[in-house]
Amino acid sequence: MDFKKTITLLAVICAFSSFGQELIAPYNMMKGNNVDVIDTVPVDEIWKVESIALTGEYSDRQAFYINDQRLQVRYQGFSTIKFPFWLDSGETIRLPYLSLKNNQGSHNYVGMISILRFTKPD
């Protein structure tokens, strides 16, 4: 490992430790069978949403919700969400069984959301 990479790694480690932020555990939010899966970030945590796994065909039926705001994963073949992104304490994330389009339900192709859970900095 060269000098620049070593210094960068040390800076990242120090930054996490100085903010009091510790990794608690990874969490994979899986799509439910015939039900929406909803979770709320606990008071003493922040979550880093790392990625989303899609199932089935890539169509316009790929969505999830943050605080009841619909986020579409892809539109006409292009990604519409930048990863990673953070969720603060009290925010909700919902992985719907159905994705609504024109007020009609269709199977949602978001199969899993990969999350890292951290303690909230002091």
Side-chain angles (χ1 to χ4, degrees), residues 93-114:
I93 185 168
R94 178 167 50 106
L95 182 51
Y97 172 69
L98 296 178
S99 182
L100 295 177
K101 181 181 178 189
N102 301 327
N103 295 323
Q104 296 181 5
S106 60
H107 182 65
N108 187 13
Y109 290 114
V110 175
M112 178 186 74
I113 299 176
S114 178

Side-chain angles (χ1 to χ4, degrees), residues 74-120:
R74 290 179 188 261
Y75 181 72
Q76 296 179 347
F78 295 99
S79 178
T80 57
I81 299 170
K82 301 281 186 195
F83 291 99
F85 62 89
W86 292 86
L87 299 176
D88 200 1
S89 298
E91 292 190 289
T92 60
I93 185 168
R94 178 167 50 106
L95 182 51
Y97 172 69
L98 296 178
S99 182
L100 295 177
K101 181 181 178 189
N102 301 327
N103 295 323
Q104 296 181 5
S106 60
H107 182 65
N108 187 13
Y109 290 114
V110 175
M112 178 186 74
I113 299 176
S114 178
I115 297 168
L116 294 177
R117 298 171 45 222
F118 291 91
T119 57
K120 189 166 185 169

Side-chain angles (χ1 to χ4, degrees), residues 6 9 24-25 32 38 53 57 71-72 92 110 112 117 120:
T6 303
L9 179 61
I24 298 171
I38 304 170
E57 63 188 62
L71 299 174
Q72 189 166 324
T92 60
V110 175
M112 178 186 74
R117 298 171 45 222
K120 189 166 185 169

Side-chain angles (χ1 to χ4, degrees), residues 12-44:
V12 169
I13 290 170
C14 290
F16 274 110
S17 63
S18 67
F19 291 116
Q21 190 176 29
E22 296 178 23
L23 176 65
I24 298 171
Y27 169 41
N28 290 322
M29 187 176 199
M30 307 290 287
K31 181 171 62 176
N33 290 329
N34 300 321
V35 295
D36 288 1
V37 178
I38 304 170
D39 209 342
T40 303
V41 181
V43 174
D44 57 347

